[in-house]
Amino acid sequence: MVKVSSFAELETLRKSIVARRDPQKAMITVCGGTGCHAHGCEKVAAAFRQEIEQQNLAGKVDLRITGCHGFCERGTLVVVKPQDIFYQRVKEKDVSTILSETVAKGNVIERLLFTDLATKEKITRELEIPFYKKQNRLILGNNGSIDPTVIDDYLAVGGYAALARSLQRMSPEQIIDEVKKSGLRGRGGGGFPTGIKWESTRRAHGDTKYVICNADEGDPGAYMDRSLMEGNPHSVLEGMIIGAYAIGSDQGYIYIRNEYPLAVKNAQIAIEQAEDYGLLGKNILGSGFDFSVRINRGGGAFICGESTALMASLEGHVGEPRAKYVHTAEKGLWNQPTNLNNVETWANVPLIINKGADWYSKIGTRNSKGTKIFSLVGKINNTGLVEVPMGITLREIVYDIGGGIPGGKKFKAVQTGGPSGGVIPESLIDLPVDFDELTKVGSMMGSGAMIVMDENTCMVDIAKYYVSFLEGESCGKCLPCREGLKRLREILADISEGRGEDDDIDLLENLSVALVDGSLCALGATAPNPVLTTLHYFREEYDAHIKDKRCPAGVCKELITYCINNEKCPGCGLCVKACPVQAITLTGKKKPAILDQEKCIKCGACYDVCKLCAVDIK
Amino acid sequence: MGDENKELEETVGQILEKYRHDKGMLVSVLQDIQAKYRYLPKEALKQVCQGLLVPLSQVYSVATFFKAFSLLPRGRHLINVCLGTACHVRGTDKVLEKIERELGINAGSTTKDLKFTLETVNCVGACALGPIVKVDEEYHGEMSTDKVVSVLKSYT
Ligand SMILES: Cc1cc2nc3c(=O)[nH]c(=O)nc-3n(C[C@H](O)[C@H](O)[C@H](O)COP(=O)(O)O)c2cc1C
Ligand code: FES
């Protein structure tokens, strides 16, 4: 690779990359995101490679492995260009047909298309699928079309133009003003205005300044940062370089969870390629500005996503937070002024510079601008990543994009904000989703996990789940969090195991107040949210557990029994084989099986294995 | 034994070299050692302490703070059952219990024949396909109790 040493050279390079590409040439893109990996996309890609070679098609069709499209549930996703035919649930065996029918003859293979459940219509183009229709994929949009390990792909779609523009035509102050005017707020959870944070770090005194990208993404159930880092790492890098220039920093760090090996790999490749072109390193694009970036991997601790804990971990210490009397913008990493932003926040920056703050601030609501990526998961038909304008209602997300609840079950609630957030009940389904509205109802934006729950999700269990998670993740430095979470979990466990007492609810509420007031960092201070919101919106469910010793959702093991439904059970014996403790016996041909409650350990194996739903939970 | 120790010393030496004996890279150094040996041997930790000029207590505090590190030898295959929220609401607990019963061990331990180590993780980022069980680098999506035996059988 040749170094690009001026703005003009960058544009020449871009033009030559675009000129070398024939938009009319056939191309197959295979999604290589983590969701599709779980569906076996590697095998599909390998099969394409092999078939293309065997059928001597190398000159006629290109193969590209892209980042995550978001519609993970339907993987492996394959798009055939230039027609843009979208195939889903593609397996190895479909590969040769795609080549011989679609690529060679232009025929569409009906069975691989997406079928709209409502209209039974087959849909050929990706963006016409209801899942994508209400989305506004400003940040995720390029994920499905570029190969994240090829910098030229990013340059071909206009990549690094925002960087060139910033360095060439804007002063650091102008960039900060633009970001302030755009109304961009941090996507890592707190929603702090990004431009103001940059300004404080720029103004702070220090020998060196650092910028950090927070890709720790510890919120269980959220994976948008991972998909961005894996699928379009250059957009994050470009944002970081612009930010560093605006702040006056020459060293950046990306802190990535080690559980995300592909994100680590692709970020590393992106850094190396950007260095090769001279977009990172000394004298970037001949502007005189120096900046380099290094990757650090996390060690699987949720608390390391918190700013001060992350910085401690970067210095090689355990990830314990500190009180923030002095902000990290003044004294952060190695006691120098440090600016930390989330992956998605950084990825918004090139967009703002390219399109301008005026354009950007037209999207969204009064105090929440732009789009937000959510991971729409749990009990929902179309699971995956969705990018929507701020202010869209929960109903639109759950029903129009998500396609409602599977198996004809009833929608119960949606949880946002992860362990620091809350549960939002069905009665609030028309709530517009933005930073302030979510906070108002007791939840928060958080990093963007949206966990949909149906009638079979128990709210006491959910509260217990989050509290146990945080109990395990509490670093133990301050007492309210360390001990308080333990007690909260014990009380919730009592309730879910049938030992609940009347005054437990008061106890939960009092303890929650102590945690909010007394904790050192936001982990403890927000930890009671799942408890308080479930108590507030689902009090009757707590009462059923405490007073009637009953779990209405059929989840809490100690309060339920598995029973054979005599009318439905044909005595096929599948459950007998599945039962690990021989609690089920057959009484003869075509006669229902009998379940011995004394022996039953409530493992649920019979329930899972029965195809006729002849096992009831009571 | 002597050869093994020597090999360990050399490998750890190379890893320290790769990170230029930079204290700030302690976590990365330990990660690389663990990637190589599947756990953190005691001898290696001592060498890291000298190589990075940090107290052994700090090396141990980091090695025990982060979930991903193990101070005990692990099995040939590492099973990670995701207990993240998305997987939880889809019933991952039952899957974990089934694996525990099949292997006769609890999460956090290793089978006697050193074949499997069973651990849990909070989200591997494939939430759309929950419940997820990750074995080594392979993701098994939409797991249920009745799929457990065949998944375990596919590893030797
Ligand atoms: C317990 C805890 C965990 C956090 N985890 C993350 C995380 O995984 N990713 C992230 O970007 N921010 C996380 N945050 C928020 C960060 O502290 C910080 O506010 C954020 O990274 C700042 O970036 P932003 O301004 O772009 O949002 C966490 C905060 C707390 C208290
Ligand atoms: S919650 Fe299991 S993969 Fe995210």
Side-chain angles (χ1 to χ4, degrees):
Chain A
M1 262 184 216
V2 277
K3 273 231 176 349
V4 187
S5 49
S6 72
F7 307 114
E9 277 180 43
L10 181 67
E11 285 320 305
T12 316
L13 172 68
R14 192 191 316 283
K15 279 195 193 115
S16 78
I17 294 170
V18 174
R20 260 183 273 134
R21 300 184 168 196
D22 173 7
Q24 287 314 310
K25 187 175 173 190
M27 176 157 69
I28 292 165
T29 70
V30 179
C31 176
T34 298
C36 283
H37 264 271
H39 284 296
C41 70
E42 269 168 331
K43 288 185 195 144
V44 173
F48 269 119
R49 238 173 250 126
Q50 201 185 359
E51 280 286 320
I52 289 174
E53 196 162 304
Q54 269 173 11
Q55 301 190 16
N56 261 331
L57 291 170
K60 294 198 189 97
V61 50
D62 289 331
L63 178 68
R64 186 180 287 172
I65 313 300
T66 70
C68 171
H69 293 236
F71 206 5
C72 311
E73 196 230 328
R74 295 285 168 150
T76 297
L77 306 179
V78 168
V79 179
V80 183
K81 291 170 193 276
Q83 306 96 317
D84 270 331
I85 299 166
F86 180 73
Y87 291 140
Q88 41 104 55
R89 300 217 164 123
V90 176
K91 300 266 176 272
E92 272 168 284
K93 64 175 172 44
D94 302 318
V95 164
S96 66
T97 328
I98 294 178
L99 285 171
S100 60
E101 285 299 313
T102 311
V103 175
K105 299 185 206 145
N107 294 337
V108 175
I109 307 164
E110 292 268 317
R111 69 182 165 83
L112 294 175
L113 295 179
F114 175 84
T115 313
D116 185 350
L117 279 180
T119 60
K120 301 273 175 286
E121 195 191 338
K122 299 261 182 198
I123 300 177
T124 318
R125 303 243 182 311
E126 185 170 14
L127 295 182
E128 285 160 18
I129 293 172
F131 176 75
Y132 291 105
K133 260 193 190 158
K134 282 209 171 169
Q135 295 194 42
N136 188 2
R137 295 161 66 85
L138 300 174
I139 306 295
L140 273 182
N142 282 329
N143 260 33
S145 57
I146 63 178
D147 180 339
T149 62
V150 178
I151 189 172
D152 285 2
D153 280 9
Y154 184 64
L155 289 169
V157 295
Y160 290 105
L163 174 64
R165 186 194 176 94
S166 305
L167 294 178
Q168 188 179 14
R169 297 202 217 134
M170 297 171 85
S171 69
E173 288 79 10
Q174 278 173 323
I175 296 175
I176 290 177
D177 272 347
E178 198 70 12
V179 174
K180 267 165 74 181
K181 238 170 60 191
S182 74
L184 175 65
R185 292 171 67 175
R187 304 298 197 235
F192 193 82
T194 306
I196 296 181
K197 202 192 260 187
W198 288 15
E199 191 168 50
S200 327
T201 319
R202 176 163 185 83
R203 286 194 183 147
H205 296 285
D207 309 330
T208 321
K209 289 177 187 174
Y210 297 107
V211 298
I212 307 177
C213 171
N214 189 345
D216 197 44
E217 194 159 59
D219 178 357
Y223 65 108
M224 44 266 146
D225 293 348
R226 150 181 217 152
S227 282
L228 266 176
M229 215 42 158
E230 281 177 8
N232 197 350
H234 284 290
S235 68
V236 183
L237 265 187
E238 187 179 2
M240 284 181 78
I241 309 171
I242 296 171
Y245 169 68
I247 288 161
S249 158
D250 62 1
Q251 179 65 51
Y253 293 87
I254 304 179
Y255 189 90
I256 312 188
R257 283 182 87 193
N258 203 35
E259 287 88 338
Y260 286 1
L262 190 59
V264 174
K265 185 172 142 223
N266 288 359
Q268 187 64 47
I269 294 173
I271 291 175
E272 284 160 18
Q273 292 181 343
E275 280 169 351
D276 287 345
Y277 269 146
L279 296 161
L280 267 180
K282 293 248 174 277
N283 193 15
I284 294 171
L285 292 173
S287 66
F289 170 60
D290 305 337
F291 181 61
S292 48
V293 175
R294 205 160 87 171
I295 292 180
N296 275 60
R297 290 165 294 159
F302 174 65
I303 186 63
C304 284
E306 196 276 343
S307 52
T308 55
L310 185 150
M311 290 172 202
S313 161
L314 272 182
E315 292 174 5
H317 298 283
V318 297
E320 284 178 357
R322 63 162 174 81
K324 285 190 255 185
Y325 310 116
V326 181
H327 287 291
T328 50
E330 307 275 336
K331 277 187 177 17
L333 186 64
W334 309 112
N335 269 330
Q336 298 299 324
T338 306
N339 182 88
L340 173 77
N341 280 122
N342 164 267
V343 174
E344 195 183 332
T345 315
W346 287 120
N348 268 279
V349 172
L351 186 72
I352 293 169
I353 300 296
N354 275 330
K355 301 237 181 173
D358 292 334
W359 175 86
Y360 187 88
S361 61
K362 288 203 181 80
I363 308 163
T365 59
R366 205 162 79 91
N367 289 319
S368 306
K369 301 297 186 191
T371 58
K372 176 77 193 92
I373 309 174
F374 290 100
S375 77
L376 187 61
V377 295
K379 310 281 189 69
I380 181 105
N381 271 319
N382 302 332
T383 61
L385 286 186
V386 305
E387 182 179 347
V388 288
M390 298 272 193
I392 191 170
T393 64
L394 276 177
R395 183 187 297 282
E396 287 170 286
I397 298 181
V398 172
Y399 287 99
D400 300 345
I401 297 175
I405 317 300
K409 301 265 170 155
K410 196 168 160 341
F411 171 77
K412 184 166 181 178
V414 45
Q415 207 279 352
T416 69
S420 314
V423 172
I424 303 170
E426 199 198 356
S427 58
L428 294 174
I429 191 151
D430 288 308
L431 187 83
V433 176
D434 75 5
F435 285 107
D436 307 322
E437 295 291 327
L438 288 174
T439 311
K440 255 189 239 161
V441 299
S443 184
M444 62 186 264
M445 180 73 81
S447 58
M450 219 174 239
I451 319 249
V452 183
M453 304 175 178
D454 69 4
E455 55 189 294
N456 294 129
T457 315
C458 168
M459 291 298 139
V460 179
D461 177 70
I462 285 298
K464 185 177 80 172
Y465 167 80
Y466 279 116
V467 169
S468 333
F469 169 80
L470 289 171
E471 183 195 359
E473 295 297 333
S474 167
C475 76
K477 189 171 177 179
C478 76
L479 180 126
C481 175
R482 184 180 67 232
E483 295 301 321
L485 282 167
K486 199 165 164 182
R487 299 293 163 243
L488 274 182
R489 198 253 308 139
E490 284 169 359
I491 301 168
L492 288 165
D494 280 347
I495 297 176
S496 74
E497 287 164 17
R499 296 184 302 272
E501 288 171 17
D502 284 345
D503 50 7
D504 279 354
I505 295 201
D506 288 342
L507 217 52
L508 285 176
E509 282 171 347
N510 290 338
L511 204 49
S512 294
V513 175
L515 263 132
V516 174
D517 288 345
S519 299
L520 174 67
C521 82
L523 186 143
T526 55
N529 285 347
V531 181
L532 294 174
T533 48
T534 45
L535 266 176
H536 182 71
Y537 296 117
F538 295 94
R539 180 63 179 261
E540 71 291 346
E541 218 168 312
Y542 277 85
D543 288 340
H545 283 76
I546 296 174
K547 296 202 174 81
D548 314 335
K549 309 293 174 211
R550 197 167 59 78
C551 174
V555 172
C556 297
K557 231 174 151 180
E558 277 73 10
L559 304 181
I560 56 169
T561 44
Y562 285 92
C563 312
I564 308 281
N565 183 323
N566 287 346
E567 264 140 49
K568 287 188 190 161
C569 176
C572 74
L574 269 181
C575 57
V576 178
K577 281 202 204 99
C579 180
V581 291
Q582 286 87 42
I584 312 178
T585 39
L586 287 179
T587 51
K589 269 207 169 116
K590 302 221 163 124
K591 283 195 187 145
I594 292 179
L595 196 162
D596 183 349
Q597 296 296 345
E598 295 284 295
K599 282 188 187 163
C600 177
I601 55 164
K602 299 177 187 171
C603 71
C606 51
Y607 182 86
D608 287 349
V609 82
C610 183
K611 304 268 180 293
L612 300 168
C613 306
V615 181
D616 294 335
I617 300 177
K618 280 185 185 154
Chain B
M1 202 59 195
D3 277 356
E4 259 173 50
N5 275 347
K6 206 151 169 235
E7 197 254 1
L8 177 77
E9 196 179 319
E10 266 173 31
T11 313
V12 174
Q14 282 162 7
I15 293 172
L16 288 167
E17 209 44 52
K18 174 175 157 198
Y19 294 107
R20 285 178 248 137
H21 297 264
D22 178 351
K23 271 185 215 183
M25 301 310 272
L26 175 57
V27 177
S28 300
V29 168
L30 297 182
Q31 273 160 343
D32 283 14
I33 298 175
Q34 170 137 330
K36 184 96 190 168
Y37 296 99
R38 299 200 292 266
Y39 81 110
L40 300 173
K42 199 164 158 189
E43 294 309 315
L45 294 182
K46 285 190 192 154
Q47 198 181 335
V48 169
C49 134
Q50 284 155 3
L52 297 183
L53 293 178
V54 291
L56 190 58
S57 60
Q58 190 187 333
V59 177
Y60 265 89
S61 80
V62 169
T64 52
F65 180 85
F66 292 107
K67 258 212 200 120
F69 295 128
S70 167
L71 297 180
L72 295 173
R74 296 209 262 191
R76 288 197 301 287
H77 300 291
L78 176 62
I79 307 176
N80 258 314
V81 180
C82 176
L83 299 186
T85 323
C87 293
H88 177 78
V89 300
R90 290 194 184 174
T92 194
D93 285 358
K94 285 202 285 187
V95 175
L96 175 62
E97 282 168 22
K98 171 81 179 173
I99 299 178
E100 289 180 331
R101 276 200 307 278
E102 283 300 316
L103 298 179
I105 54 171
N106 287 332
S109 36
T110 301
T111 53
K112 278 218 188 78
D113 57 3
L114 285 184
K115 183 170 173 188
F116 289 113
T117 293
L118 177 61
E119 292 188 351
T120 61
V121 59
N122 293 311
C123 192
V124 295
C127 321
L129 298 164
I132 293 271
V133 173
K134 188 171 165 234
V135 185
D136 302 331
E137 292 312 310
E138 217 175 328
Y139 297 84
H140 300 274
E142 294 173 356
M143 280 295 290
S144 56
T145 50
D146 50 335
K147 285 193 197 162
V148 165
V149 174
S150 66
V151 167
L152 291 180
K153 269 206 185 127
S154 64
Y155 294 90
T156 48

